[in-house]
Amino acid sequence: QVQLVESGGGLVQPGGSLRLSCVASGSLRSIYDMGWYRQAPGKERELLAHITSGGITNYADSVKGRFTISRDNAKNTVYLQMNSLKPEDTAVYYCNADIRAVRGGRSTNYWGQGTQVTVSS
């Protein structure tokens, strides 16, 4: 079975930084596109950043210039470096990926369990 597990969330002051990690594990053959989302209370889930298997990235306007998505294919890991954090960044952050299992003929979309990020003084 394939799983995505996020880590690195926590409480940080405005202007601070956090680095989130998401590790894929299990009997997987390959990982395709990966992305980071967030969801604040009472709001819809928002796409923040996207990265292809070749490293091409895209960002939402709300985080452009502050957040950086990257991946280490050898470690089956995607990262989200978050700098200059603002109170409005407070949300549960989720990792998402399209993954092909070892015995699978097609890719399947997976979500991590989420990690809480709170930006407050």
Side-chain angles (χ1 to χ4, degrees), residues 81-118:
Q81 178 65 48
M82 304 185 295
N83 299 325
S84 302
L85 284 163
K86 307 174 181 179
E88 50 263 44
D89 294 320
T90 297
V92 177
Y93 284 68
Y94 297 91
C95 176
N96 180 266
D98 291 321
I99 301 174
R100 177 181 290 188
V102 170
R103 294 181 295 168
R106 296 178 178 179
S107 65
T108 301
N109 188 256
Y110 292 87
W111 288 96
Q113 82 289 347
T115 184
Q116 176 71 46
V117 172
T118 302

Side-chain angles (χ1 to χ4, degrees), residues 26-112:
S27 300
L28 59 91
R29 180 184 301 275
S30 58
I31 305 174
Y32 302 105
D33 291 2
M34 306 185 79
W36 284 97
Y37 294 73
R38 70 184 178 193
Q39 188 165 24
K43 296 184 178 181
E44 296 184 357
R45 190 165 297 186
E46 174 189 16
L47 173 62
L48 301 177
H50 170 263
I51 186 168
T52 69
S53 60
I56 300 174
T57 60
N58 294 98
Y59 298 92
D61 289 340
S62 60
V63 304
K64 190 176 299 182
R66 300 187 298 122
F67 291 10
T68 302
I69 188 172
S70 62
R71 64 192 291 169
D72 187 335
N73 292 330
K75 297 180 178 180
N76 293 335
T77 302
V78 63
Y79 305 95
L80 186 67
Q81 178 65 48
M82 304 185 295
N83 299 325
S84 302
L85 284 163
K86 307 174 181 179
E88 50 263 44
D89 294 320
T90 297
V92 177
Y93 284 68
Y94 297 91
C95 176
N96 180 266
D98 291 321
I99 301 174
R100 177 181 290 188
V102 170
R103 294 181 295 168
R106 296 178 178 179
S107 65
T108 301
N109 188 256
Y110 292 87
W111 288 96

